[in-house]
Amino acid sequence: MDDDRDENIWPPGTVRLEDVHQSRDQIVLFPIPSADPNDPLNWSTSRKVLNFTLVSFFVLWTFVQLDIGFTAWGPMQEELGFSLDILNAGAAVNYGGLAVGCIFFMPLVHKYGRRPVYIFSVALQFASCIWQAQTYINGDLLGSNLISGIGGAISEIIVQVTIADLFFVHQHATMNGWYVIAQTAGAFLGPVASGYIVVAQGWRWMWWWCVIFFGVTLLCVIFLFEESKYIPILNGRDVVNDAQVNGEPSEPRKDGDVMDTKSASETIATRVPTNPDIRSNTYFQRMALVTITDESLWPHFYQPIVTLFTFPAVTYAAITYGSTLSWFAIMTSLQASYMLIPPYNFDAIGVGLMNVAPFVGAILGFPFGGHLSDKSILWLSKRNGGIYEPEMRLWLALPIAIVSPVGILMFGLGLAYGAHWAILAVGFGFFGFSLAAISGITLSYLMDCYQDIIGDALVGVIFMRNIFSVIVLFVLTPWVDAMGMRDLHILVAVIAFLILLIPVPLLIWGKKARMATAPSYRRMAANQLSHRTI
């Protein structure tokens, strides 16, 4: 039992989140912030809100442009003569660009900072939307989708890195929940708006509107988005260790925990006293184009693959997140193809409006996988003597093993038997709930387990996710022809159920797995010069 309380032998992810020995329960800040006012963890709430609002705006429009294409499939088939196979191929190439782009961009995020990659990503998507608005031949379709995927690739990784830069462990799931809301709003509500645009202005104009909004986003990121990469070395001193020693001038600070009282029973940590001798950066320093560190790019190209096969938490996240997004790709593709024909005969507006249902589900799934997840770990940590284990997040993942397959079956069997569209919408809504909830829980679990290598870990996760989607979209048409709509969805539901039960062995053996892989994790973390000393 004493060993369990010895912080020196705790595995990665295990932290003291509450000090239960104080007169009031106190949440301990983790990661431990420095005394530097330029440390993103010490930024004011307004600075954090502005930065994360810009990030959310970036995510929103990225997922709009990635997911609106299928609403124009009908008009594009009529005007350009594109076959269903070439349209599916375009979607698959888009996912291929997402897979390749994340491998290329993530090392640059580590080496040169977050800001230049955000700017380049927005600029690339801006250009891809212009090309998509000017699509006339198969080559235009495939080429613009490839550039679109490459440009949007970093959105699913750099946001998690930004959250780790700005926020503490007890805030991760809430912020991931906001990310998921921005993602699902783009993915689900974007097609609703684009459906109306296709009917009212023509399908090319849905891309021109994206060009306009990406132009606005680009200007906002250039002039307002601050670099959140923090190098915890200042003038030869490790400012994190300084903070641990100095604390508040009048009273030594224990474990970096400085409190902002919210109630008589709960105290929430937000910021720490900063060293007045350290000057805050000027506006132009905050808006520097690059923040370079002396680290090699090469390890970040192969470490994502190493993490996939070394750390069970990364493998779990890759399989769960990847498969769930693949089922979403299947459902949106089949919806766009089969709801245009009898018995539904939907136009672009009808196809787009079907996405309201999963968005409503996602709105409900957002607090379940976000705020409720953060609250649950505080309660479970208190019952565990104030010590937090990342596996505590996985209890809320278990109900999703029922909700997601039910949604898939309602949608798929309804489509197979020509059921009323409302039944399909309810099933799509259940799936939207599952997508939002499991995404927030999975990403927060992974971030809490391996925060110092979260960038490389997420590259592996997103690479596998997009490979899954590329495969299912390339084989979808012959798969439906061979198995039929009903049997395909039954198989998908069974696979989804089994994958969503992976938290059960992790709840039993997850901590032991983190202990066994701790040396490998610490070696990888030590090689990242921008990692925070903790």
Side-chain angles (χ1 to χ4, degrees), residues 246-510:
N246 294 337
E248 298 184 39
S250 60
E251 182 179 347
R253 174 164 50 84
K254 180 182 178 182
D255 293 333
D257 54 332
V258 173
M259 308 302 164
D260 175 22
T261 303
K262 288 189 71 176
S263 69
S265 60
E266 185 183 72
T267 308
I268 303 294
T270 53
R271 298 171 66 195
V272 305
T274 56
N275 187 342
D277 296 330
I278 302 176
R279 190 176 290 180
S280 296
N281 288 335
T282 65
Y283 170 80
F284 291 104
Q285 288 174 319
R286 294 175 183 180
M287 299 297 161
L289 183 59
V290 295
T291 303
I292 304 176
T293 45
D294 260 340
E295 58 190 309
S296 171
L297 287 173
W298 169 240
H300 296 298
F301 285 104
Y302 67 80
Q303 280 183 176
I305 305 302
V306 174
T307 63
L308 267 177
F309 298 100
T310 302
F311 306 111
V314 182
T315 307
Y316 159 68
I319 294 173
T320 302
Y321 194 52
S323 62
T324 303
L325 270 294
S326 295
W327 312 148
F328 173 63
I330 289 175
M331 294 167 80
T332 54
S333 178
L334 292 177
Q335 167 198 327
S337 307
Y338 288 88
M339 298 196 77
L340 296 172
I341 60 177
Y344 302 105
N345 296 315
F346 278 14
D347 59 8
I349 292 177
V351 171
L353 285 172
M354 280 295 292
N355 288 272
V356 172
F359 180 73
V360 172
I363 290 293
L364 299 176
F366 154 58
F368 185 86
H371 185 69
L372 183 59
S373 177
D374 278 340
K375 289 295 183 183
S376 72
I377 68 168
L378 295 178
W379 182 75
L380 291 168
S381 297
K382 186 185 298 184
R383 291 171 58 90
N384 194 40
I387 298 172
Y388 166 63
E389 307 286 356
E391 286 74 28
M392 292 175 179
R393 291 203 187 271
L394 298 181
W395 288 106
L396 289 181
L398 297 178
I400 309 302
I402 302 298
V403 178
S404 182
V406 167
I408 292 170
L409 288 174
M410 287 185 68
F411 178 88
L413 298 185
L415 194 60
Y417 289 108
H420 193 277
W421 64 264
I423 295 176
L424 278 68
V426 171
F428 215 0
F430 280 163
F431 185 79
F433 174 90
S434 304
L435 175 62
I438 200 64
S439 296
I441 293 169
T442 302
L443 293 174
S444 298
Y445 172 63
L446 177 59
M447 184 182 296
D448 291 353
C449 284
Y450 302 117
Q451 173 157 319
D452 275 359
I453 60 167
I454 188 64
D456 288 338
L458 277 170
V459 171
V461 170
I462 302 304
F463 178 76
M464 291 305 299
R465 173 261 195 200
N466 291 316
I467 290 299
F468 288 167
S469 298
V470 168
I471 293 171
V472 298
L473 286 173
F474 267 125
V475 304
L476 185 56
T477 301
W479 191 5
V480 172
D481 292 340
M483 286 193 70
M485 191 76 70
R486 185 196 66 180
D487 291 347
L488 181 148
H489 282 91
I490 291 174
L491 177 61
V492 167
V494 170
I495 296 172
F497 174 71
L498 295 175
I499 289 174
L500 291 169
L501 287 180
I502 295 177
V504 173
L506 285 175
L507 284 165
I508 300 171
W509 297 296

Side-chain angles (χ1 to χ4, degrees), residues 71-111:
T71 58
W73 280 13
M76 290 177 76
Q77 286 177 298
E78 293 176 9
E79 179 184 332
L80 304 176
F82 288 166
S83 68
L84 187 58
D85 282 342
I86 193 64
L87 290 169
N88 272 325
V93 167
N94 185 259
Y95 280 109
L98 288 167
V100 172
C102 68
I103 293 176
F104 173 74
F105 281 127
M106 202 59 222
L108 305 181
V109 171
H110 290 295
K111 178 76 173 179

